[in-house]
Amino acid sequence: MEEALVRAVLFGTPILLASLGALLSERGGVVNLGVEGMMALSALGAFAVALEVGPVWGIPAGVGVGSFMGLFLGLFAVVLRANQFVAGLALAALGLGASGLLGKRYEGVPLPQPLPEGGLALVALALALGLHLLLSRTRFGLYLRSVGENPKAADLFGVSVEGVRYLALALGGGIIGLAGAYLSLAYRPSWTDGMTSGLGWVAIALVILAGWHPLRAVLGAYFFGLLFFLQFRLQGSVPIPSEAFAAMPYLLVILVLALSGRARAPKALGQPFDRGR
């Protein structure tokens, strides 16, 4: 039982980090469907820097890659006011494709000095609490929630809607980048194409399940972490095809999304802001 709880926390950590990053941008009204690609490219960037410079430097590298991709998404979603769903899906495809192409030279190369999983798991918990306080107790949190609910009213009160959304995408992208760095520097200290294994999509679903609340995302992430642990532990011990176990977390995601249709999203989520209208 103790082992299952520990592994649930450790495996749930990248899901938690990715969901916190997506949650931050979505509270500002920008849908981020590029989480999977952002995690993959950040994991590669963190691993490459860790091999050349040292494992500790891999963390800022992963965060930096994630922030850059968040800003890149902002170029289309905020500046060009493109369809946010299409832009996010394109970013996911770009990140997965680029990481697979650029990471071929690192396939099968182990990281000599992995980072401790437990330390980064504590960082993820601290970020969840910090994000909750940021959203509920700070002026920036008030601006972010206002922009996500009614950007026209926020603009009338002098709040830069574009600036707030850009900052949220950069910060959220950095947290997503930390999730990728955790995978390649701690959980699986190596680089493998497809190592995100759909965790980014699970994180997107978790944001909805948690009702866009950081602290609820903690329990949801650990629950999904427990499911992934059971998926690997029970394979071979019960007469059920391995494919069924592999699909179990994703089937639950579909079920969760179907049952959470009444979850209250930010009112301006997915809507480009046009000051002229």
Side-chain angles (χ1 to χ4, degrees):
M1 183 63 179
E2 182 179 351
E3 179 190 3
L5 293 177
V6 170
R7 299 313 300 176
V9 170
L10 296 179
F11 200 92
T13 294
I15 303 175
L16 173 60
L17 288 170
S19 66
L20 292 176
L23 185 151
L24 185 58
S25 66
E26 294 196 2
R27 287 300 294 264
V30 180
V31 175
N32 185 357
L33 297 183
V35 176
E36 183 81 5
M38 295 171 70
M39 285 180 66
L41 202 56
S42 297
L44 174 61
F47 183 75
V49 171
L51 277 182
E52 299 295 332
V53 185
V56 175
W57 293 101
I59 294 179
V63 171
V65 171
S67 293
F68 175 79
M69 295 187 74
L71 292 173
F72 187 64
L73 176 61
L75 172 63
F76 295 95
V78 179
V79 178
L80 300 178
R81 296 190 289 274
N83 185 293
Q84 296 177 11
F85 299 92
V86 175
L89 291 173
L91 186 66
L94 175 64
L96 290 172
S99 62
L101 179 63
L102 299 174
K104 290 186 181 299
R105 58 178 295 192
Y106 299 107
E107 288 278 358
V109 180
L111 186 66
Q113 295 178 312
L115 294 178
E117 298 174 76
L120 290 175
L122 290 176
V123 170
L125 276 175
L127 280 173
L129 178 59
L131 184 55
H132 170 66
L133 295 176
L134 175 73
L135 290 172
S136 61
R137 303 290 179 85
T138 68
R139 179 169 296 182
F140 175 73
L142 176 62
Y143 290 163
L144 183 66
R145 289 184 283 115
S146 300
V147 165
E149 293 291 335
N150 194 333
K152 291 185 178 180
D155 181 63
L156 287 175
F157 280 96
V159 177
S160 173
V161 175
E162 294 87 351
V164 170
R165 287 184 170 180
Y166 243 116
L167 183 56
L169 282 167
L171 294 175
I175 299 175
I176 294 171
L178 182 59
Y182 174 87
L183 286 177
S184 62
L185 302 181
Y187 192 79
R188 303 170 185 167
S190 61
W191 164 254
T192 305
D193 187 17
M195 70 184 307
T196 51
S197 302
L199 296 181
W201 303 111
V202 175
I204 293 172
L206 177 58
V207 173
I208 302 173
L209 171 64
W212 289 267
H213 194 289
L215 298 184
R216 294 177 195 159
V218 175
L219 295 178
Y222 294 161
F223 176 66
F224 280 116
L226 179 62
L227 283 181
F228 278 100
F229 169 75
L230 294 176
Q231 165 194 331
F232 292 112
R233 171 55 69 89
L234 296 178
Q235 285 185 21
S237 60
V238 293
I240 299 177
S242 59
E243 292 80 5
F245 282 106
M248 182 172 62
Y250 307 106
L251 291 175
L252 185 63
V253 166
I254 295 173
L255 178 62
V256 164
L257 291 178
L259 296 177
S260 59
R262 296 182 179 179
R264 185 184 178 278
K267 292 181 180 178
L269 184 62
Q271 302 175 13
F273 174 67
D274 189 349
R275 186 175 287 104
R277 290 186 176 182

